[in-house]
Amino acid sequence: MTEADRFAEPPPPSAEVLAGAARYARLFETLTPESLGDLDAAVTDDIHFVDPFNDVTGRAALRRVFQAMYRDLEAPRFTVTHRAFDGDVGFLRWTLTARVKALRADWHIVGMTELRFAPDGRVREHIDHWDAAGQLYERLPVLGWVPRLLRRKLGHG
């Protein structure tokens, strides 16, 4: 691949990818424990899901991840704020607000999801990118000092 190829205009997303991304974003913004079964129509059988805590494959495994989220968090809510596309790849920027039951603390996490789509518009890969150290670990009462110290020691500026 040449330098010019790397910076060429990306291919436009197909109508199926655009529809699939809209469906998936809407699903996440309205997700409840009762609607977890709706994920099945939006993802492939072999969906690959990755976040800072999980790396699972398959619909049942994806549902278990979200069941655990509802077990550990009160009133989690995703809000999709931005979308971008490059062919069969989509990116969703989002915020998650929730209350962590075990810590009795409110959380606000900003992240980005990288989605890869099957030709029919269903999601075949969902990879979450967010700063777990800065947005989660540093706020933990007992362990938070470790990532804060590392950030200070390794930071520039």
Side-chain angles (χ1 to χ4, degrees), residues 81-98:
T81 58
H82 298 87
R83 299 176 197 183
F85 298 94
D86 184 351
D88 72 342
V89 179
F91 303 93
L92 303 176
R93 184 169 168 84
W94 47 262
T95 58
L96 168 64
T97 55

Side-chain angles (χ1 to χ4, degrees), residues 4-131:
D5 292 336
R6 286 186 39 222
F7 294 103
E9 186 68 28
S14 68
E16 291 80 12
V17 166
L18 290 173
R23 180 176 53 245
Y24 204 65
R26 204 170 28 258
L27 178 64
F28 270 92
E29 288 188 323
T30 60
L31 199 62
T32 66
E34 297 76 31
S35 69
L36 287 175
D38 295 346
L39 285 169
D40 288 355
V43 302
T44 60
D45 294 340
D46 61 346
I47 176 78
H48 182 213
F49 176 88
V50 179
D51 72 6
F53 308 108
N54 301 282
D55 186 340
V56 300
T57 300
R59 287 179 177 155
L62 178 63
R63 273 195 306 281
R64 284 192 298 274
V65 167
F66 286 104
Q67 287 166 342
M69 177 187 76
Y70 283 108
R71 184 182 59 242
D72 297 338
L73 302 176
E74 270 180 46
R77 175 162 167 68
F78 289 94
T79 302
V80 175
T81 58
H82 298 87
R83 299 176 197 183
F85 298 94
D86 184 351
D88 72 342
V89 179
F91 303 93
L92 303 176
R93 184 169 168 84
W94 47 262
T95 58
L96 168 64
T97 55
R99 181 162 185 82
V100 179
K101 293 176 183 178
L103 300 174
R104 297 186 191 133
D106 293 328
W107 295 89
H108 177 87
I109 294 173
V110 177
M112 194 270 304
T113 298
E114 176 183 349
L115 300 170
R116 297 199 187 285
F117 294 90
D120 64 2
R122 291 181 300 154
V123 174
R124 63 182 175 88
E125 189 170 47
H126 173 142
I127 302 173
D128 281 343
H129 303 278
W130 57 277
D131 179 11

